[in-house]
Amino acid sequence: MTTREDDASPADPVVLSIDVGGSHVKIMTSTHVEERRVESGPAMSAAQMADAVRDLARGWSYDVVSIGYPGPVRENKPSRDPAHLAIGWVGYDFADHFGKPVKVVNDALMQAIGSYEGGRMLFLGLGTGLGTAMILDNVCHPLEVGHLPFRKGGSFEDYVGEPALEKRGKKKWRKAVAAVTECLNAALLPDYIVIGGGNVAHLSDLPGNSVRGDNTRAFAGGFRIWRDAQLRL
């Protein structure tokens, strides 16, 4: 598992990277390339997640924390409760809970940062829903374009999220992923598109102008948030 630690220096802080998802919360530190995880789901609140992570990370030491959150973030805190978890996330003070400096970003943006190779990049995360982000010459932009209308009153996310994969089957879902990617490529004009998220594994062929992402890049993004001075969040 690679985490771009080749760019780390001895002076860099040890980062605890937390990837919050609709089915699991996964963690790793920049000095422990071992992933630990716990189930999440619709009953998990922010406080429950923080408690679970503290238990998961027992025995690890770290200086700072990065959190990839499945929803909009404002002023370093969740600004809207997530669609697939419990309520109680808005404005939650993670720094107070962990007793460490914390940076919270949208989960798609965190994976995008870990996947970024320069230029103008669009990231699409195929998971429970559709996560989206852009990075333009090191300036990071979380997006919510998955909720834009697409077909027959449905949104992009309605056609390429996990419920659509389960309901419509892989063949129709793959065609929808290709169509959505083509639309966003034409509208946003990226140099390249990274398609990540857990369900990218169901794509045998990728749409034009795209490359395959990897969920482990979310951890690398969490490390990079603290270590890459060129990034602008």
Side-chain angles (χ1 to χ4, degrees), residues 14-213:
V14 177
V15 184
L16 172 64
S17 192
I18 305 171
D19 184 14
V20 181
S23 58
H24 292 89
V25 175
K26 297 172 283 188
I27 69 170
M28 182 186 291
T29 75
S30 51
T31 55
H32 291 84
V33 288
E34 166 200 353
E35 178 186 308
R36 296 180 180 177
R37 62 170 59 196
V38 64
E39 290 187 3
S40 55
M44 179 174 272
S45 68
Q48 288 171 329
M49 186 281 287
D51 285 340
V53 167
R54 193 163 51 189
D55 289 341
L56 276 181
R58 189 172 286 121
W60 288 353
S61 64
Y62 50 92
D63 304 308
V64 295
V65 180
S66 296
I67 300 175
Y69 171 73
V73 174
R74 294 283 186 192
E75 297 179 355
N76 207 38
K77 294 178 182 178
S79 61
R80 187 191 308 160
D81 284 326
H84 306 288
L85 300 171
I87 61 172
W89 295 75
V90 176
Y92 188 83
D93 192 341
F94 291 102
D96 181 67
H97 187 102
F98 286 105
K100 306 281 186 181
V102 175
K103 292 184 180 182
V104 184
V105 298
N106 172 264
D107 60 339
L109 181 59
M110 194 161 87
Q111 191 173 151
I113 290 169
S115 307
Y116 183 58
E117 299 289 349
R120 183 184 180 99
M121 184 195 78
L122 171 64
F123 176 83
L124 303 178
L126 302 174
T128 309
L130 174 64
T132 54
M134 283 200 80
I135 304 180
L136 300 92
D137 297 325
N138 292 304
V139 180
C140 303
H141 297 271
L143 303 174
E144 291 291 333
V145 300
H147 303 300
L148 291 176
F150 183 47
R151 293 174 179 166
K152 299 178 181 179
S155 66
F156 287 131
E157 185 168 276
D158 291 333
Y159 278 82
V160 301
E162 191 160 332
L165 172 60
E166 294 172 352
K167 181 179 179 180
R168 305 180 75 231
K170 284 186 183 179
K171 186 175 181 180
K172 288 183 177 180
W173 178 82
R174 286 168 174 163
K175 287 183 177 180
V177 169
V180 166
T181 304
E182 183 179 348
C183 285
L184 295 177
N185 186 51
L188 299 174
L189 301 175
D191 297 329
Y192 58 102
I193 302 169
V194 174
I195 302 180
N199 286 332
V200 71
H202 297 297
L203 293 179
S204 50
D205 298 306
L206 294 177
N209 199 33
S210 65
V211 297
R212 190 177 301 273

Side-chain angles (χ1 to χ4, degrees), residues 3-9 12 224 227-228:
T3 52
R4 290 183 194 255
E5 286 310 288
D6 338 356
D7 298 331
S9 75
D12 286 327
R224 197 172 179 182
R227 293 177 163 184
D228 190 339

